[in-house]
Amino acid sequence: MTHSSACPLCLADGGLLVHRTDRLRVIRVDDADFPAFYRVVWNAHVAELSDLTPDDRARLLDTVVAVETVLRTHLVPTKINLASLGNMVPHLHVHVIARFAWDSHFPEPVWGRRQREVIPDAVSRLAIEPAILDRQVRERLAGRP
Amino acid sequence: MTHSSACPLCLADGGLLVHRTDRLRVIRVDDADFPAFYRVVWNAHVAELSDLTPDDRARLLDTVVAVETVLRTHLVPTKINLASLGNMVPHLHVHVIARFAWDSHFPEPVWGRRQREVIPDAVSRLAIEPAILDRQVRERLAGRP
């Protein structure tokens, strides 16, 4: 498998590991503003979606949609945000973020300008705790290639 | 087809129309900072990727990858940025943006903080003109469902 010794996503999981196959993994990002923020990370060091074979792209998409579906089912977010950027870490990963009209940046992207302070904090507003959400993601993805 | 009379992506193409099928369209965004910025827009008014059938998702992904491939082939960008956000316009569309180390915001997302002024302007730095790039996108997508 392609690997880069200088890449943080080759050296470590990149967050709390929720699910892992030989091809990809799902991690949860530790972000107080966005407590339902997952990343689907391709395990091999490739930069772009078009570097994957069609089968591998379908596998990645399927995993992204599975995470999105869990977030929609359990949190009923205002919107799901998906992004594959990688300008700083050019190792293929897709952000899957539940966004809410009350969150710190809505309707701006999470990389945009903060719109408000959120009190009580974001995690306390989720319908279920992150650890339980992780379990739902893990169960939904169990057994997938 | 689902349609919302209040949605700008139901009322108009949303940019320069480059390619259109019964299901989706590709438009180019008029953005002086990012002259190689396309959007793949689903024609029906649905909000999330997981609202599509698996076949339709595959079709959307295939189109995104085709646009990405044209940008990589003809512009050799530093990175491709993909995103499906829709916080302001919750009508499914995927941004496909060629990013360059010299561009106004790199390595920030296009929604982040400007990093520099770019002189001469971005469009003059592209290896080929946007209109020729549009033609390449159109030719690559010709005949696809």
Side-chain angles (χ1 to χ4, degrees), chain A residues 78-81 99 105-110, chain B residues 85-90 93:
Chain A
T78 308
K79 192 69 190 68
I80 295 290
N81 285 180
R99 299 295 311 276
H105 288 61
F106 201 88
E108 288 295 314
V110 303
Chain B
L85 306 177
N87 300 336
M88 300 199 197
V89 179
H93 58 283

Side-chain angles (χ1 to χ4, degrees), chain A residues 47-51 57 61 65 68 72 79-88 99 106-109 111-112, chain B residues 47-51 57 61 65 68 72 79-88 99 107-109 111-112:
Chain A
E48 305 288 6
L49 189 59
S50 54
D51 290 329
R57 284 201 293 268
L61 184 72
V65 169
E68 170 175 313
R72 294 183 73 185
K79 192 69 190 68
I80 295 290
N81 285 180
L82 305 176
S84 174
L85 307 177
N87 299 337
M88 301 200 196
R99 299 295 311 276
F106 201 88
E108 288 295 314
W111 308 278
Chain B
E48 306 287 5
L49 189 59
S50 54
D51 290 329
R57 284 201 292 268
L61 183 72
V65 168
E68 170 176 312
R72 293 183 73 185
K79 192 68 190 66
I80 294 289
N81 285 182
L82 305 176
S84 172
L85 306 177
N87 300 336
M88 300 199 197
R99 300 295 310 277
E108 288 294 313
W111 308 279

Side-chain angles (χ1 to χ4, degrees), chain B:
Chain B
M1 185 185 299
T2 320
H3 180 276
S4 165
S5 60
C7 172
L9 290 177
C10 288
L11 294 171
D13 290 335
L16 178 73
L17 186 66
V18 174
H19 171 79
R20 186 181 183 100
T21 72
D22 61 335
R23 304 293 179 96
L24 56 79
R25 60 191 187 263
V26 177
I27 59 124
R28 179 159 53 79
V29 178
D30 182 20
D31 187 319
D33 289 326
F34 307 105
F37 185 161
Y38 291 83
R39 286 193 189 116
V40 182
V41 181
W42 198 252
N43 290 335
H45 187 76
V46 298
E48 306 287 5
L49 189 59
S50 54
D51 290 329
L52 299 186
T53 65
D55 274 1
D56 280 346
R57 284 201 292 268
R59 201 167 307 199
L60 177 65
L61 183 72
D62 183 61
T63 305
V64 167
V65 168
V67 176
E68 170 176 312
T69 300
V70 170
L71 297 184
R72 293 183 73 185
T73 302
H74 293 278
L75 302 179
V76 194
T78 308
K79 192 68 190 66
I80 294 289
N81 285 182
L82 305 176
S84 172
L85 306 177
N87 300 336
M88 300 199 197
V89 179
H91 176 134
L92 184 61
H93 58 283
V94 181
H95 306 278
V96 184
I97 315 166
R99 300 295 310 277
F100 298 89
W102 51 256
D103 78 34
S104 57
H105 288 61
F106 201 89
E108 288 294 313
V110 303
W111 308 279
R113 191 183 293 265
R114 179 179 294 270
Q115 302 295 304
R116 64 192 65 83
E117 294 305 315
V118 174
I119 301 167
D121 65 348
V123 68
S124 70
R125 295 169 180 242
L126 297 186
I128 61 176
E129 289 176 30
I132 298 176
L133 201 56
D134 294 344
R135 193 193 308 157
Q136 296 294 335
V137 170
R138 198 174 295 120
E139 285 179 5
R140 185 160 191 111
L141 287 169
R144 295 202 191 191

